[in-house]
């Protein structure tokens, strides 16, 4: 079974949506409620969903720019915005950074092991600069800053394990 998690940003607050895939069966979990469906691709390219409660939905999903997709069913056209949690966090941290606090705390999103630390305290860094590499779930993840500034603290060292949520580094913003 494969599982995907997305952040949906609509008119309300952001919400997490999880989709589990097993063969032609899909389970969508949103707001703590799950709904299952069998999915089939029709000859004309449309998708047919037969929901567990007997309802059937047929339509197309048209991908667009920046994680926005258009869902077309019958006479209805709806746009939805989905992003992977990390991409969503980065995109909205940059937006919030304009008037945000003077310091950015960089934290581990999941448990892992620090492979390399690329900066030292006192180094000046540009927005998007590589701070360290964290190995988690057999993948090496580059941890970058979302704003320019000076490295105020490095809280980890190479070879050490960290828990999810652990403070990795602190970046002090450049004065305006």
């Amino acid at each position: 079974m494969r599982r995907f998690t997305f952040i949906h940003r609509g008119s309300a607050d952001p919400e997490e949506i999880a989709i589990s895939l097993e063969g032609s069966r899909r389970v969508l979990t949103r707001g703590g409620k799950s709904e299952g469906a069998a999915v089939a691709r029709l000859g004309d390219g449309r998708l047919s969903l037969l929901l567990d409660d007997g309802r059937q939905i047929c339509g197309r999903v048209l991908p667009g720019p920046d994680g926005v997709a258009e869902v077309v069913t019958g006479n209805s056209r709806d746009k939805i915005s989905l992003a992977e949690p990390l991409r969503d966090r980065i995109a909205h941290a940059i937006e919030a950074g304009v008037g945000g606090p003077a310091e950015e705390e960089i934290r581990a999103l999941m448990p892992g092991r620090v492979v390399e630390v690329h900066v030292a305290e006192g180094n000046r860094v540009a927005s998007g600069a590589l701070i360290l590499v964290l190995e988690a779930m057999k993948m090496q993840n580059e941890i970058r800053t979302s704003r320019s500034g000076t490295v105020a603290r490095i809280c980890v060292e190479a070879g050490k394990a960290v828990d999810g949520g652990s403070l990795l580094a602190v970046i002090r913003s450049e004065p305006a």
Side-chain angles (χ1 to χ4, degrees), residues 22-23 26 85 93 102 120:
E22 189 169 340
R26 309 291 187 258

Side-chain angles (χ1 to χ4, degrees), residues 4-8 15-19 28-31 82:
F4 299 92
T5 302
F6 300 98
I7 302 299
H8 173 253
E15 68 177 318
E16 185 175 290
I17 295 176
I19 301 172
L28 181 126
T29 305
R30 177 180 178 186
L82 295 176

Side-chain angles (χ1 to χ4, degrees), residues 97-124:
V98 174
E103 291 187 338
E104 172 189 11
E105 290 185 345
I106 299 174
R107 295 186 175 271
L109 294 177
M110 62 183 72
R113 184 180 59 84
V114 177
V115 177
E116 302 170 4
V117 178
H118 285 263
V119 295
E121 289 183 12
N123 287 147
R124 291 176 52 106

